[in-house]
Amino acid sequence: MRIWILVLLLVCAWGGYSWWHHRPLHSQPGILAAEAPDQEPVAGGTTLSRGHFTLSPRATFSMTGRVLSREDYQLDDLAPIAPTDLAMGWGRMSDSAVLDHIRISQSNRFYYWYTDQFPIPRHEIEDSSANMHMIPANDEAARALRDVRTGEIVHVEGFLVDVKRDDGWHWNTSLTREDTGAGGCEIVLVESLRDEAVAAQ
């Protein structure tokens, strides 16, 4: 009986630490990440191996955005290679004055938003935010991804990639910010990720 109590206490302690470590940041109103993500096509044919996965780069990718939400995964098909999804916003979707009117959540590799009254046009919400499956390219990127907090302004450099597993399972990245729903998420091979507030100091 005492062992179960100890286990419960450890689970609660870990949950409390995890919440504190990833607790949301709150910012004053104002656009914090003005520019849309930038990408350039890359020549086909190059592939990268990551265990049972093959990555095919489709475009270079660079963005500065606000983390609207984060969700960690352990059990789905992409979890072994992309354990974290970040819902990212830029333009007016990085402004607290707008985001205060929008409820945001993530589940099953999708990002959802809800509002009772649109603070900006619907198409702007959809075109200025995206759910991104993050694949760390190295240990430094993996550590940075583990530390990311909702509300943080981060700069990401890497590649948009298609993913194929040895058994034929595959997942293709979006190459536009104007799509939504299934197939509308970016799969990002993250070579570097930094907190812009820290970088500016």
Side-chain angles (χ1 to χ4, degrees):
M1 184 66 178
R2 291 180 180 177
I3 293 177
W4 286 108
I5 293 175
L6 179 60
V7 170
L8 181 61
L9 289 173
L10 289 173
V11 169
C12 290
W14 173 253
Y17 168 79
S18 180
W19 177 86
W20 177 256
H21 189 65
H22 292 121
R23 67 195 185 280
L25 296 173
H26 299 284
S27 301
Q28 296 297 317
I31 293 175
L32 301 179
E35 302 298 325
D38 182 63
Q39 68 184 61
E40 295 292 337
V42 298
T46 301
T47 60
L48 304 170
S49 294
R50 293 290 187 276
H52 295 291
F53 297 88
T54 300
L55 311 182
S56 300
R58 301 291 308 280
T60 61
F61 187 73
S62 174
M63 75 168 296
T64 297
R66 181 170 180 167
V67 181
L68 306 180
S69 178
R70 68 168 288 152
E71 185 74 13
D72 297 309
Y73 295 90
Q74 297 178 334
L75 302 176
D76 71 0
D77 289 329
L78 201 59
I81 193 168
T84 300
D85 280 7
L86 299 181
M88 301 293 297
W90 55 90
R92 289 200 284 180
M93 282 297 286
S94 69
D95 186 345
S96 294
V98 170
L99 297 174
D100 285 346
H101 298 279
I102 301 174
R103 301 184 299 279
I104 290 170
S105 64
Q106 288 170 285
S107 67
N108 298 319
R109 295 289 182 177
F110 287 94
Y111 136 64
Y112 304 92
W113 58 267
Y114 313 86
T115 184
D116 297 319
Q117 184 174 1
F118 284 90
I120 58 177
R122 181 189 185 101
H123 73 84
E124 189 175 354
I125 295 175
E126 295 174 339
D127 294 351
S128 299
S129 62
N131 191 58
M132 300 187 180
H133 312 307
M134 299 302 205
I135 301 174
N138 50 59
D139 291 342
E140 184 177 354
R143 286 192 295 270
L145 280 168
R146 286 195 294 268
D147 289 341
V148 166
R149 294 166 60 183
T150 298
E152 196 172 354
I153 305 299
V154 298
H155 182 76
V156 179
E157 296 276 353
F159 294 88
L160 297 177
V161 297
D162 293 338
V163 178
K164 185 175 181 179
R165 198 168 54 193
D166 290 349
D167 61 5
W169 176 90
H170 63 90
W171 204 336
N172 294 335
T173 184
S174 168
L175 293 172
T176 175
R177 309 296 85 77
E178 298 177 358
D179 51 5
T180 60
C185 298
E186 287 71 19
I187 305 175
V188 185
L189 178 64
V190 180
E191 293 194 315
S192 67
L193 184 152
R194 68 174 185 265
D195 182 335
E196 282 295 271
V198 172
Q201 293 177 357

